[in-house]
Structures are given as structure tokens and as C-alpha cells.
Amino acid sequence: EADIYQTPRYLVIGTGKKITLECSQTMGHDKMYWYQQDPGMELHLIHYSYGVNSTEKGDLSSESTVSRIRTEHFPLTLESARPSHTSQYLCASGDFGRANEKLFFGSGTQLSVL
Amino acid sequence: SQQGEEDPQALSIQEGENATMNCSYKTSINNLQWYRQNSGRGLVHLILIRSNEREKHSGRLRVTLDTSKKSSSLLITASRAADTASYFCATDKAAGNKLTFGGGTRVLVKP
């Protein structure tokens, strides 16, 4: 169904490591989003992009950064991971045209920082 | 503070029963959407209702929207074990293009 992919699916790393979470979509959507979700909790928007070379911070402050060099690719980077970054990270995309105002989500990356 | 809040937080029913969950929000919206999330997975879009609509159906799903009360409800009729999941409402505010999600309702359908 949804052609949006996240890798890795699970990641366990030590404190201080630099990590990049990958997100790619093949639907040609201009708009892409990163949400952070703790178990059983609401989703918080941490980054979004409305197109190539456009990135904005979301409603929840995050120490992560994002880039959008290609339409299909929206990676998220943590320069120095900490245990407080342990969470599930969900990538989504949409085009928000009149007939299609929904988001398509990837399967998520479950990050554990020891 | 979150835009959408679901009620109840958790719901346990028998297969064949109906499940109803509610969502309240705070600011004016362009549309309201419902998503389903299976454990440890991403979200899947279920249904969208626009601010000028009051009720919408899709298969076993029925959504209502009351903009005067800033609330919406999702009804799943004749539930199945496969309906076990968390259900989230999301609002697209007038500025648009950024969905804000509530805390979700965890639904358990027992066979």
C-alpha cells in the first residue's frame, strides 16, 4: 500500500553515537514529516518539509536535524545520542491535494539509546 | 498541549460488539482524520471528515463531527479481533498541512 520506507526498523546504540534514521518515499509527495512517539502515547511533530531544501521544526523541540536534498528522501540525524532520545520515530508523507489530504506512514524506527 | 484528546484511553469489547471512541479538539479545523496503528507499526489512514460535514461512513466505520462542541466520534460496528489496535484522531488546522494527533484509544477485541 504505502510506498514509504524507514530503516533501520530497530536500532540499539550507546550514548554519544551519531545516528541517521532513513526515510524514503516513492509517491512523489512534496510534504514529509517526522513524528516522535513514546509507547502508548500521542505523536509529536518534530520536523517537516514542504519540498526540496525546505525544512522546519515542529511543535516538539528536538535535538535532531533533518535535510531534504531530494524529494524522495528525508533523513533524520542525531549528532550525539542520549538515553532521553529513546523513542519510536515515524516518518510520513502527503501531498495534501484536494483529493488526498491524508498522511502515509512508514513502519517506524524504534530507537534505544543505552 | 495536545490539540486532540481521545476518550476512553482504552476499550475492551467482545467480537461482534460495537466500539465507540471520542475525540475533542481545541482550535478551529479544516478537517479531522482518524488513523489506526497496530502495535509497533506506523499509522494507517481510515477516514477523513471535513469541517462542513457532520457524518461520514466507510464500510464498518462511522464518523461524526460536531464543530460547535469541537468533538468527533468514531464507531466501529460488528468488531473483529483484527480491529484490535490503537485509534488516533488528527486535526488539520486552518493553516493546513500539519496534522496534530491525540493520545489515542487502545481497543482490544476479544474473540
Side-chain angles (χ1 to χ4, degrees):
Chain A
E1 279 213 10
D3 296 318
I4 178 164
Y5 309 100
Q6 290 186 243
T7 57
R9 183 78 177 86
Y10 302 95
L11 180 60
V12 181
I13 59 167
T15 298
K17 299 291 186 183
K18 177 181 178 179
I19 61 164
T20 297
L21 308 184
E22 301 289 348
C23 177
S24 295
Q25 51 96 5
T26 59
M27 297 172 281
H29 290 162
D30 285 330
K31 298 176 177 63
M32 296 189 73
Y33 308 81
W34 278 102
Y35 287 88
Q36 184 176 341
Q37 183 187 31
D38 291 325
M41 303 296 286
E42 67 189 281
L43 283 73
H44 293 284
L45 180 66
I46 51 174
H47 297 284
Y48 62 98
S49 168
Y50 286 170
V52 171
N53 294 325
S54 155
T55 61
E56 300 286 345
K57 290 191 177 294
D59 302 322
L60 180 68
S61 176
S62 173
E63 294 167 345
S64 59
T65 59
V66 293
S67 62
R68 190 87 183 276
I69 299 172
R70 302 198 318 264
T71 298
E72 61 270 24
H73 196 212
F74 192 39
L76 180 146
T77 298
L78 274 167
E79 290 292 333
S80 179
R82 294 205 301 270
S84 61
H85 296 139
T86 294
S87 189
Q88 174 159 247
Y89 293 84
L90 294 166
C91 180
S93 73
D95 61 19
F96 281 86
R98 179 63 184 170
N100 186 18
E101 296 175 62
K102 63 183 181 182
L103 290 184
F104 296 85
F105 280 83
S107 295
T109 293
Q110 180 60 53
L111 173 64
S112 296
V113 184
L114 306 177
Chain B
S1 58
Q2 58 196 47
Q3 165 76 330
E5 295 187 17
E6 282 92 336
D7 170 59
Q9 289 187 323
L11 183 59
S12 179
I13 56 174
Q14 293 293 137
E15 207 165 25
E17 293 180 341
N18 295 342
T20 300
M21 59 210 84
N22 303 295
C23 169
S24 61
Y25 58 92
K26 295 175 182 173
T27 63
S28 61
I29 60 171
N30 184 40
N31 65 62
L32 185 143
Q33 305 180 29
W34 286 90
Y35 287 78
R36 185 183 76 192
Q37 183 181 35
N38 289 94
S39 181
R41 310 294 292 183
L43 281 73
V44 175
H45 181 265
L46 295 176
I47 194 166
L48 178 153
I49 187 165
R50 300 189 187 286
S51 59
N52 62 352
E53 297 176 313
R54 292 297 168 258
E55 187 171 314
K56 205 160 183 181
H57 297 255
S58 177
R60 293 184 295 113
L61 304 179
R62 172 177 170 259
V63 170
T64 63
L65 179 64
D66 187 336
T67 52
S68 66
K69 295 181 180 178
K70 291 186 170 58
S71 68
S72 173
S73 68
L74 172 67
L75 168 67
I76 305 173
T77 61
S79 63
R80 306 166 181 167
D83 294 329
T84 293
S86 291
Y87 293 82
F88 293 84
C89 69
T91 52
D92 183 9
K93 291 185 275 189
N97 294 181
K98 286 194 297 176
L99 290 185
T100 301
F101 288 82
T105 293
R106 288 173 290 286
V107 175
L108 172 63
V109 181
K110 294 179 282 187

